[in-house]
Amino acid sequence: MFTWPLDNKQTSDQHFLQSTHNLLCCCLTSNSVKMGMFISKTMDDNMKKQQEFMVQNQIVMMERQIQMQNQMRERQMAMQLGRSRDLFLWYSSFYTVTFVGLLAGYRKKKSPGMIVPLVPLTFILAYQYDMSYGSKMHRIRAEADRILDMEANLIDLPHGLPAFSAIEAARLKQKDDERLGQSHDLFL
């Protein structure tokens, strides 16, 4: 703020000092406001960049988690499918042997009532022995690896992997539904 001397008694030195003081006060106030605005703007920009980084980091973490869970699910499904195929081989062998035995008993017209139950029990015992002490798990794992390598389309999720946007949309929809349900309860 610049002021002119009001009376003639003020000397030129006093006038110069007063003018300089007023000018410095205006400049310092103006510069500190500009400096504060510059720092505030820089901090806002940094905060926005940090928030964007955090959101991107969360999206990457979510996508990694989804990918990891999907790979674990695929491996579990492949193991189950390998186990089912191996079990089918055993059951088909059981069926073939039982069928041949019953056909032979029928041809001879003898009553094989006492030995027929031994056949399925023998297969069940052999299956359990192979599962417990044999190489069954290695064969199941090998079949699971083959399924993952050659028939991965059998274990794909319907509609593919869920995306972050789909999960977020479902979360927001659920949140809105809860809010609407609460407001609906208030009116009832």
Side-chain angles (χ1 to χ4, degrees), residues 24-95:
L24 281 175
C25 285
C26 284
C27 288
L28 285 177
T29 304
S30 172
N31 284 341
S32 64
V33 168
K34 287 179 186 177
M35 181 82 115
M37 287 178 17
F38 176 73
I39 291 173
S40 176
K41 186 174 190 287
T42 304
M43 286 178 59
D44 286 344
D45 290 343
N46 286 341
M47 186 177 294
K48 286 179 184 177
K49 287 179 184 177
Q50 183 69 19
Q51 286 174 343
E52 289 173 7
F53 173 75
M54 288 173 59
V55 167
Q56 290 298 325
N57 194 27
Q58 287 175 344
I59 289 171
V60 168
M61 285 175 53
M62 177 75 77
E63 289 172 348
R64 285 179 181 159
Q65 187 177 23
I66 289 170
Q67 196 61 248
M68 180 189 69
Q69 288 177 354
N70 185 57
Q71 287 184 9
M72 293 302 294
R73 182 199 59 80
E74 285 178 348
R75 290 181 177 139
Q76 289 172 351
M77 292 289 293
M79 285 290 286
Q80 289 176 354
L81 191 54
R83 177 177 270 162
S84 296
R85 287 180 179 178
D86 190 64
L87 188 61
F88 174 75
L89 290 174
W90 277 87
Y91 281 178
S92 63
S93 299
F94 164 73
Y95 177 79

